[in-house]
């Protein structure tokens, strides 16, 4: 796996800062003001902006404990946009630096959701579109065959969706601004609520949330107050995936600041997901892709000296109990021999660095 030159990794960091500045300026223009609020004993920042009718509209910003937010509250009037320079950076990173750009539809969809406030409201981009971001995040070149997709998956924690007291604009309107043929997909449960939207070409945008309770509720869409009228399908194991996500860039147009799962969590989660796929039809193809992406991340994490990170989240998942262990074992058993050996090596290396014991998912 080839590494990406340091000069391009530095350019990506600069693009991320500029794009975050630009997004912040768009969300919080100079005529508004930041307002602190105490909720359940914790301090949060909100932003009040004139609504044009003598009143104000309030937006959720984030926790007052976040140092990045605190700095931006202090500096927001000085943030400036540099659209053309950022677009040149994106072109250089994708054409010369070996980093990955999404297909146009995926990029436009994520950009529209980001502009609507998805990541400000602590949404997380998951699935293959998120995997595309790991090339720049980890500084390695990932093969194009592992990143092709025809959908975009978005996750948000249910408690966060209820507590932020803010919402995206109507999801249907955001998606139809990209492609007028987007329509809600009837839910398989027969519920009137929709957790997925699809256009005339079959491109699908799906919203997901974690399910920590009984599987009896797995097929019932959860109402998500912050998602602009969209519901979300509860999925087991998703809380592990979206815990402690990371900021990075989707290399589309002038760059889109996004939030994605930690790559170590993504890799372990893919093993579990692969173990639960059906063995025929589309399920088989998706399972093969899950295993391939996990194997590529094990290689990238080893190459970039992140074995301790992988071992740490692996132990977290393993300690969650028998169902998790069985999922990891089954998924690991699907890995090609070379990937399985690398996975084993990285786990042992990482456990030594962490000074922890580790139980490997392979039989003797």
């Amino acid at each position: 796996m080839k590494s990406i030159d340091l000069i391009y990794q530095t350019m990506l960091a600069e693009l991320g800062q500029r794009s975050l500045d630009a997004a912040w300026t768009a969300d919080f223009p100079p005529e508004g003001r930041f307002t602190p609020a105490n909720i359940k004993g914790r301090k949060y920042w909100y932003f009040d902006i004139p609504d044009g009718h003598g009143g104000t509209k309030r937006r959720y910003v984030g926790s007052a404990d976040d140092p990045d937010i605190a700095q931006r509250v202090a500096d927001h009037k000085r943030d400036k946009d540099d659209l053309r320079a950022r677009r040149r950076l994106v072109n250089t990173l994708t054409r010369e630096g070996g980093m990955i750009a999404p297909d146009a539809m995926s990029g436009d969809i994520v950009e529209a959701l980001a502009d609507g406030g998805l990541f400000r409201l602590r949404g997380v981009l998951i699935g293959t579109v998120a995997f595309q971001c790991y090339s720049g995040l980890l500084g390695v070149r990932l093969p194009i065959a592992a990143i092709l997709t025809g959908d975009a998956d978005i996750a948000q924690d249910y408690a966060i969706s209820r507590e932020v007291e803010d919402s995206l604009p109507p999801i249907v309107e955001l998606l139809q601004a990209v492609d007028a043929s987007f329509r809600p997909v009837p839910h398989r449960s027969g519920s009137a609520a929709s957790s997925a939207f699809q256009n005339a070409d079959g491109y699908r945008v799906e919203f997901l949330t974690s399910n920590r309770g009984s599987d009896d509720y797995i097929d019932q869409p959860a109402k998500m107050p912050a998602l602009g009228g969209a519901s979300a399908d509860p999925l087991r194991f998703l809380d592990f995936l979206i815990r402690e996500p990371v900021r990075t860039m989707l290399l589309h147009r002038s760059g889109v600041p996004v939030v994605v799962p930690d790559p170590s969590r993504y890799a372990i989660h893919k093993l579990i997901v692969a173990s639960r796929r059906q063995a025929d039809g589309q399920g088989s193809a998706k399972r093969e892709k899950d295993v391939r992406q996990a194997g590529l991340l094990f290689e990238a994490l080893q190459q970039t000296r992140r074995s301790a990170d992988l071992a740490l989240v692996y132990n977290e998942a393993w300690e969650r109990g028998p169902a998790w262990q069985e999922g990891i074992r089954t998924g690991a058993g699907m890995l090609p021999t070379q990937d399985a050996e690398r996975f084993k090596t990285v786990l042992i290396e990482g456990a030594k660095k962490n000074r922890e014991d580790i139980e490997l998912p392979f039989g003797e």
Side-chain angles (χ1 to χ4, degrees), residues 300-360:
L301 291 164
Q302 181 183 41
Q303 183 171 320
T304 56
R305 305 181 66 82
R306 290 176 168 86
S307 60
D309 296 342
L310 181 65
L312 199 65
V313 300
Y314 169 88
N315 268 349
E316 178 189 329
W318 191 263
E319 290 167 1
R320 290 195 180 198
W324 290 71
Q325 294 169 13
E326 180 60 27
I328 295 170
R329 283 196 191 96
T330 303
M334 298 175 185
L335 290 167
T337 301
Q338 185 176 4
D339 289 341
E341 285 300 317
R342 180 179 291 112
F343 184 33
K344 179 179 179 180
T345 298
V346 177
L347 288 177
I348 293 172
E349 288 176 355
K352 287 180 179 178
K353 290 179 181 178
N354 295 334
R355 298 182 180 179
E356 289 185 344
D357 294 328
I358 198 161
E359 184 176 345
L360 298 175

Side-chain angles (χ1 to χ4, degrees), residues 142-298:
L142 298 171
I144 193 71
I147 63 170
L148 299 177
T149 187
D151 53 32
D153 295 327
I154 309 296
Q156 187 187 50
D157 182 81
Y158 177 74
I160 288 172
S161 196
R162 288 184 59 88
E163 291 175 4
V164 296
E165 298 182 358
D166 196 355
S167 177
L168 292 168
I171 286 293
V172 172
E173 294 180 12
L174 289 176
L175 297 178
Q176 289 179 347
V178 175
D179 183 333
S181 69
F182 268 106
R183 296 289 186 273
V185 176
H187 197 270
R188 60 184 176 274
S189 67
S191 169
S194 234
S195 60
F197 303 80
Q198 190 166 302
N199 72 359
D201 295 325
Y203 192 97
R204 187 181 180 95
V205 181
E206 189 163 5
F207 295 89
L208 306 165
T209 193
S210 54
N211 177 56
R212 301 190 186 195
S214 168
D215 282 348
D216 293 343
Y217 302 99
I218 204 79
D219 287 326
Q220 296 300 318
K223 293 183 178 179
M224 306 291 283
L227 290 183
S231 294
D233 273 342
L235 293 183
R236 288 193 67 195
F237 311 107
L238 191 70
D239 63 298
F240 169 82
L241 176 66
I242 63 176
R243 183 179 179 186
E244 299 174 340
V246 294
R247 294 183 184 273
T248 188
M249 295 298 301
L250 187 70
L251 295 178
H252 178 69
R253 298 187 188 275
S254 57
V256 183
V258 296
V259 177
V260 299
D262 174 273
S264 295
R265 291 182 181 275
Y266 187 101
I268 298 299
H269 185 260
K270 279 298 176 184
L271 291 184
I272 298 172
V273 170
S275 75
R276 299 173 70 84
R277 298 279 194 197
Q278 296 296 320
D280 55 1
Q282 191 176 20
S284 180
K286 288 185 174 181
R287 183 175 66 182
E288 184 176 334
K289 191 173 186 179
D290 292 335
V291 171
R292 176 65 172 147
Q293 289 184 354
L296 287 168
L297 285 178
F298 297 148

Side-chain angles (χ1 to χ4, degrees), residues 12-193:
L12 180 68
E14 180 183 352
L15 173 66
Q17 188 59 56
R18 289 190 182 191
S19 298
L20 197 58
D21 289 344
W24 191 275
T25 301
D27 280 335
F28 308 114
E31 59 267 25
R33 67 187 183 91
F34 288 93
T35 303
N38 288 301
I39 300 175
K40 296 182 180 179
R42 295 189 63 186
K43 183 179 177 181
Y44 296 87
W45 283 106
Y46 285 78
F47 188 77
D48 292 335
I49 185 170
D51 61 7
H53 304 287
T56 59
K57 182 179 179 180
R58 174 160 288 192
R59 292 176 174 174
Y60 171 78
V61 181
S63 171
D65 295 332
D66 187 325
D68 183 59
I69 290 176
Q71 184 63 43
R72 292 186 175 279
V73 170
D75 294 345
H76 86 282
K77 290 184 182 292
R78 296 194 296 270
D79 285 343
K80 296 180 180 180
D81 192 6
D82 189 357
L83 184 66
R84 290 183 180 177
R86 289 189 289 118
R87 185 161 293 190
R88 287 195 296 270
L89 280 172
V90 170
N91 288 338
T92 300
L93 292 168
T94 54
R95 294 178 183 177
E96 301 174 19
M99 296 185 192
I100 297 169
D103 64 275
M105 178 59 75
S106 295
D108 286 347
I109 290 295
V110 175
E111 184 175 42
L113 294 173
D115 289 347
L118 174 68
F119 301 111
R120 175 174 58 83
L121 297 175
R122 298 169 70 180
V124 182
L125 178 65
I126 61 175
T128 297
V129 183
F131 183 82
Q132 294 171 357
C133 298
Y134 293 140
S135 176
L137 185 66
L138 296 174
V140 295
R141 299 191 181 201
L142 298 171
I144 193 71
I147 63 170
L148 299 177
T149 187
D151 53 32
D153 295 327
I154 309 296
Q156 187 187 50
D157 182 81
Y158 177 74
I160 288 172
S161 196
R162 288 184 59 88
E163 291 175 4
V164 296
E165 298 182 358
D166 196 355
S167 177
L168 292 168
I171 286 293
V172 172
E173 294 180 12
L174 289 176
L175 297 178
Q176 289 179 347
V178 175
D179 183 333
S181 69
F182 268 106
R183 296 289 186 273
V185 176
H187 197 270
R188 60 184 176 274
S189 67
S191 169

